[in-house]
Amino acid sequence: QQQVKQSPQSLIVQKGGISIINCAYENTAFDYFPWYQQFPGKGPALLIAIRPDVSEKKEGRFTISFNKSAKQFSLHIMDSQPGDSATYFCAASKGRTSGSRLTFGEGTQLTVNP
Amino acid sequence: EAGVTQFPSHSVIEKGQTVTLRCDPISGHDNLYWYRRVMGKEIKFLLHFVKESKQDESGMPNNRFLAERTGGTYSTLKVQPAELEDSGVYFCASSQGLAKETQYFGPGTRLLVL
């Protein structure tokens, strides 16, 4: 049973456009929701993270929107750039009390065309 | 500061052989995690060390997998004997402590079992 579902599997956006990736989770015990960015040949790197006590977090062009009642969260990339082309993973964990093991979505391959 | 390193970067072995993967976490990080991504699916948790102790090994697929963390520093993950379904990318991650959830990932070891 997959606890974090991510969509779409792949996404093509034009430069300057908005990229939106969605995730839904099952386990209400999750209390930490990071997004990781992975470039080819590299490991995933933390991009931005949110806790369920806020509905939105913004860092530069990257924004997480969080809907606790719907158990959904999404990543918005504004003014998408070719350098943003990468695989994006949403994840969830139970945080401090449970060793912080991450449960990942399947990943979204983002391509930003120039 | 050096990041998480993994060795080898790639490994191609025959079914039935043994392979040992190594991970060197960021210096001072007590938490060390192993994850695996198989065939473009989600990244799945395998196990978690706190220093030299196994905190959670519930994600280990079977007893062909053995993980160790000598002296609370580097870790090895041995697969013996390897099966075709063990092919995938094995990631190691480390974090400073339970109060800090950010996990830093290594570049991964790409394992192909033929």
Side-chain angles (χ1 to χ4, degrees):
Chain A
Q1 179 188 5
Q2 191 176 345
Q3 292 196 56
V4 178
K5 294 184 179 180
Q6 183 173 346
S7 64
Q9 193 172 22
S10 63
L11 180 62
I12 300 174
V13 174
Q14 291 298 118
K15 179 182 175 182
I18 301 174
S19 303
I20 301 175
I21 304 170
N22 300 299
C23 285
Y25 63 97
E26 298 288 331
N27 191 338
T28 55
F30 288 144
D31 61 2
Y32 176 69
F33 301 88
W35 284 88
Y36 278 79
Q37 179 188 55
Q38 184 187 18
F39 292 106
K42 304 291 186 182
L46 179 66
L47 184 63
I48 186 173
I50 197 169
R51 295 195 176 281
D53 53 344
V54 297
S55 60
E56 186 176 282
K57 183 174 181 179
K58 183 176 181 180
E59 290 184 1
R61 296 184 294 108
F62 300 91
T63 299
I64 300 178
S65 297
F66 187 83
N67 186 330
K68 187 174 181 178
S69 61
K71 294 188 288 185
Q72 295 176 346
F73 59 111
S74 60
L75 176 69
H76 295 235
I77 306 175
M78 310 299 288
D79 186 26
S80 299
Q81 299 297 312
D84 297 330
S85 297
T87 300
Y88 292 80
F89 295 93
C90 62
S93 77
K94 297 177 187 177
R96 299 186 180 95
T97 60
S98 300
S100 301
R101 58 181 283 182
L102 292 167
T103 300
F104 284 91
E106 290 195 348
T108 296
Q109 178 68 52
L110 172 65
T111 301
V112 181
N113 288 327
Chain B
E1 178 183 279
V4 178
T5 58
Q6 294 186 244
F7 182 83
S9 59
H10 295 79
S11 181
V12 180
I13 61 172
E14 299 281 337
K15 174 183 174 181
Q17 290 185 322
T18 298
V19 63
T20 300
L21 314 181
R22 173 170 170 145
C23 168
D24 286 80
I26 293 173
S27 178
H29 281 193
D30 289 339
N31 293 281
L32 187 149
Y33 304 82
W34 283 98
Y35 293 88
R36 178 175 72 173
R37 190 183 192 204
V38 174
M39 284 295 290
K41 306 295 284 183
E42 73 269 27
I43 300 171
K44 280 192 173 181
F45 168 84
L46 295 178
L47 87 159
H48 170 210
F49 284 100
V50 177
K51 298 184 180 180
E52 67 276 7
S53 300
K54 292 177 184 176
Q55 180 81 3
D56 180 359
E57 54 183 326
S58 61
M60 295 288 264
N62 52 61
N63 58 11
R64 295 185 294 102
F65 290 74
L66 175 64
E68 295 179 327
R69 188 177 183 191
T70 306
T73 56
Y74 72 91
S75 175
T76 58
L77 180 64
K78 180 188 288 188
V79 185
Q80 178 182 31
E83 298 290 344
L84 300 180
E85 63 264 26
D86 300 332
S87 296
V89 182
Y90 289 77
F91 292 106
C92 174
S94 70
S95 68
Q96 194 167 11
L98 285 181
K100 296 183 183 296
E101 290 94 345
T102 301
Q103 294 183 26
Y104 298 87
F105 281 74
T109 294
R110 284 145 188 80
L111 174 64
L112 178 61
V113 183
L114 301 176

